[in-house]
Amino acid sequence: MREIIIGGGQLGAIQKSESRAKVVQRMLALLEQAREQGCELVVFPELALTTFFPRWYMEDQDEVDTWFEREMPSDVTRPLFDFSREHGIAISFGYAELTPEGHHYNTSILTDRQGQIIGKYRKVHLPGHVEFDTERDFQHLEKRYFEPGDLGFPTWETQDTVMGMCICNDRRWPETYRVMGLQGVELVLLGYNTPSINSQRQSEGEEHRLFHSQLCMQAGAYQNATWVVGVAKAGIEDGFPLMGGSVIVDPNGFVVAKAEGQGDELIVHACDMDLCNFGKTTIFDFARHRRIEHYGIITRQTGVQRP
Ligand code: CDT
């Protein structure tokens, strides 16, 4: 048995006016709960340190850059890394990254149990749009503020487990999980900020959105025989609702832990990484069963070409 006690640190709403320092205090409170429950790894949401700023249209790049982190750890986030080291709890969380070369990414990092960053992922599937869209009930400007990630979907061996990360919209794409699956991933960590309503189709409400979110994570877990930990930033941010629904999904696709509310909430499960072995050596033994001679279109072609 290779057990890791994993916490999903769902965050409730973060208002536009709220400081990073205050959010870090909330994350530390969740980490303290996680410590009491014996967690060895805690996963936080996408863009965990601030409100979901891509809902706000901005033209001034200096203003945009105020939402980005130029270093990690920074003075304000260092207490998270200190807590990780002092208590032997690895952490993963998302933030907006501004590199020294001036690139903007929607990023997640993973530490080891000594608080050292051992993995970085930059979001590949950026949803939304570039310009202000008058047809939408609210904006989703990730394509304006971020560049697509340039690191692919790497995996890392840590805590005797192959781990990978993806971010929010990535969870809807089977390619995300399969690229990591082909590197033997046993634990996929992901955070999200998902509006409770579709800005282009009001009839698509929260129940519908929660269903799609969970459907994707359960499918990704089952089809790659991997654990998936999906963690929301939820609640109403300056009048705009984000859904909750944080889950831990086992390698059979079953949900084994689920958040109940839309506030700060820790979900916990003792995850045995050896549960991945059966699927990986039978129905999803890729080496024996995949037929790559028929999959070329997946990397040759982006959009649909009808017959
Ligand atoms: N943050 C993020 O990626 N949210 C998207 C919303 C899609 S609608 C533009 C998601 O897939 O949940």
Side-chain angles (χ1 to χ4, degrees):
M1 183 144 101
R2 285 179 296 140
E3 188 178 271
I4 307 178
I5 304 179
I6 301 177
Q10 177 173 290
L11 287 171
I14 302 172
Q15 308 308 328
K16 203 177 176 187
S17 60
E18 238 164 295
S19 69
R20 287 164 172 81
K22 196 168 158 205
V23 177
V24 167
Q25 288 309 312
R26 287 166 55 183
M27 292 168 78
L28 286 169
L30 287 168
L31 280 171
E32 178 55 26
Q33 282 180 43
R35 187 192 65 75
E36 285 162 11
Q37 296 187 50
C39 290
E40 296 151 304
L41 166 65
V42 176
V43 185
F44 291 103
E46 173 191 34
L47 299 176
L49 303 172
T50 66
T51 196
F52 187 68
F53 68 85
R55 74 167 64 85
W56 303 108
Y57 178 74
M58 292 171 271
E59 288 185 340
D60 177 359
Q61 191 59 42
D62 289 342
E63 184 188 356
V64 173
D65 287 351
T66 62
W67 298 101
F68 282 75
E69 313 302 317
R70 288 181 164 77
E71 52 179 359
M72 191 58 66
S74 55
D75 287 348
V76 77
T77 53
R78 202 173 311 281
L80 298 168
F81 295 84
D82 291 345
F83 192 101
S84 164
R85 190 183 60 255
E86 279 161 31
H87 301 289
I89 302 175
I91 54 174
S92 175
F93 65 87
Y95 63 96
E97 178 192 11
L98 176 51
T99 72
E101 298 76 29
H103 293 289
H104 296 76
Y105 298 110
N106 188 341
T107 296
S108 271
I109 45 115
L110 169 66
T111 75
D112 60 17
R113 294 181 66 186
Q114 286 73 48
Q116 294 295 323
I117 295 176
I118 56 153
K120 177 180 277 190
Y121 167 72
R122 293 172 173 154
K123 187 174 183 178
V124 166
H125 299 102
L126 296 172
H129 48 109
V130 176
E131 298 302 337
F132 191 91
D133 185 348
T134 53
E135 302 294 309
R136 294 179 186 243
D137 292 342
F138 50 88
Q139 306 297 299
H140 195 112
L141 291 153
E142 285 193 62
K143 278 186 158 56
R144 182 179 184 85
Y145 301 133
F146 300 114
E147 298 161 60
D150 61 345
L151 301 174
F153 293 96
T155 57
W156 302 269
E157 190 153 8
T158 178
Q159 300 197 48
D160 201 17
T161 296
V162 180
M163 298 189 197
M165 290 183 277
C166 65
I167 301 179
C168 195
N169 189 262
D170 287 321
R171 75 193 187 287
R172 305 185 190 278
W173 298 88
E175 294 88 344
T176 296
Y177 303 91
R178 184 50 49 91
V179 170
M180 288 190 269
L182 284 166
Q183 299 167 76
V185 81
E186 297 170 304
L187 175 58
V188 175
L189 314 174
L190 75 96
Y192 58 89
N193 283 250
T194 297
S196 306
I197 300 160
N198 188 326
S199 64
Q200 295 168 296
R201 186 165 71 151
Q202 276 179 355
S203 61
E204 191 179 314
E206 188 159 8
E207 201 180 327
H208 191 132
R209 307 279 267 181
L210 283 165
F211 170 69
H212 283 165
S213 175
Q214 207 169 296
L215 178 70
C216 299
M217 292 189 277
Q218 289 183 266
Y222 167 64
Q223 291 170 344
N224 295 278
T226 178
W227 289 89
V228 173
V229 180
V231 181
K233 174 136 69 60
I236 301 175
E237 292 191 337
D238 296 294
F240 297 94
L242 296 169
M243 63 176 221
S246 303
V247 283
I248 299 178
V249 185
D250 80 9
N252 286 301
F254 290 111
V255 173
V256 295
K258 187 169 180 174
E260 287 170 5
Q262 298 196 325
D264 293 2
E265 180 178 342
L266 185 76
I267 56 172
V268 177
H269 189 78
C271 303
D272 179 5
M273 296 302 139
D274 280 338
L275 272 188
C276 303
N277 299 347
F278 183 75
K280 286 189 190 299
T281 54
T282 57
I283 192 161
F284 296 119
D285 180 346
F286 294 159
R288 272 197 294 149
H289 304 307
R290 291 181 80 244
R291 289 288 167 206
I292 58 172
E293 64 273 29
H294 299 296
Y295 305 157
I297 195 171
I298 288 179
T299 53
R300 258 200 326 270
Q301 185 179 316
T302 312
V304 175
Q305 286 175 24
R306 289 166 59 101

